[in-house]
């Protein structure tokens, strides 16, 4: 069964946002969901009539808001400027940071033993939609289970 377009877009956007925040941790940073969405749009070569394209246009901001609402990231204290698009001063929570550093536990030596961050970063760099969707799906499942 293939991943639905809205979930595929959620997974790729969440992966990009989490990697960006991990790389700037603990310094809060600004994230513009529109810029993240455009980066994915050009990197993944979605057709303008594809379901992924349509979900990306509306879903990038909703994905970042979901990560905030669920406690994976938070808005840090600081000034909010009207001229800055998107989410200002966001940072990983301690739970999000700790999880991204985790290595999946497995007895099977064929299981990818890199940390979730390393897996997400390589997936987002390579532009491999399926890998990013699969990796972030595992991370989100772990985060929801840890809450």
């Amino acid at each position: 069964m293939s991943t639905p377009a809205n979930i595929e877009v959620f997974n790729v956007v969440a992966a990009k946002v989490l990697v960006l925040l991990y790389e700037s941790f603990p310094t809060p940073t600004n994230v513009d969901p529109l810029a993240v969405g455009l980066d994915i749009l050009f990197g993944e070569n979605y057709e303008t009539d594809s379901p992924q394209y349509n979900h990306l246009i509306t879903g990038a901001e909703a994905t970042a808001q979901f990560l905030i609402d669920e406690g994976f990231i938070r808005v840090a204290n600081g000034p909010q400027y009207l001229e800055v698009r998107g989410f200002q001063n966001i940072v990983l929570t301690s739970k999000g940071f700790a999880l991204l550093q985790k290595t999946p536990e497995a007895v099977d030596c064929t299981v990818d033993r890199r940390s979730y961050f390393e897996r997400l970063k390589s997936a987002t760099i390579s532009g491999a939609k399926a890998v990013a969707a699969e990796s972030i799906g595992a991370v989100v499942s772990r985060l929801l289970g840890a809450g």
Side-chain angles (χ1 to χ4, degrees), residues 61-142:
E61 184 170 347
T63 299
Q65 188 62 54
F66 173 85
L67 294 171
I68 291 169
D69 292 345
E70 294 300 317
F72 305 156
I73 60 179
R74 67 178 171 82
V75 179
N77 292 329
Q80 300 288 310
Y81 300 101
L82 293 176
E83 64 273 8
V84 177
R85 292 184 49 88
F87 297 91
Q88 299 173 45
N89 297 317
I90 61 173
V91 65
L92 288 171
T93 61
S94 58
K95 179 171 79 170
F97 179 71
L99 184 68
L100 287 171
Q101 290 187 311
K102 274 188 145 184
T103 302
E105 297 175 11
V107 176
D108 185 354
C109 64
T110 62
V111 172
D112 188 350
R113 298 288 297 153
R114 296 176 297 158
S115 70
Y116 286 113
F117 166 73
E118 291 166 331
R119 293 167 65 189
L120 291 177
K121 183 168 180 156
S122 67
T124 57
I125 287 173
S126 69
K129 294 182 283 193
V131 176
E134 191 174 299
S135 297
I136 194 62
V139 171
V140 171
S141 294
R142 288 277 184 146

Side-chain angles (χ1 to χ4, degrees), residues 1 8 27 44-45 58 86 89 117 127 138 143 146:
M1 182 173 115
E8 179 182 324
T27 305
E44 301 295 343
N45 296 321
T58 59
N89 297 317
F117 166 73
L143 282 169

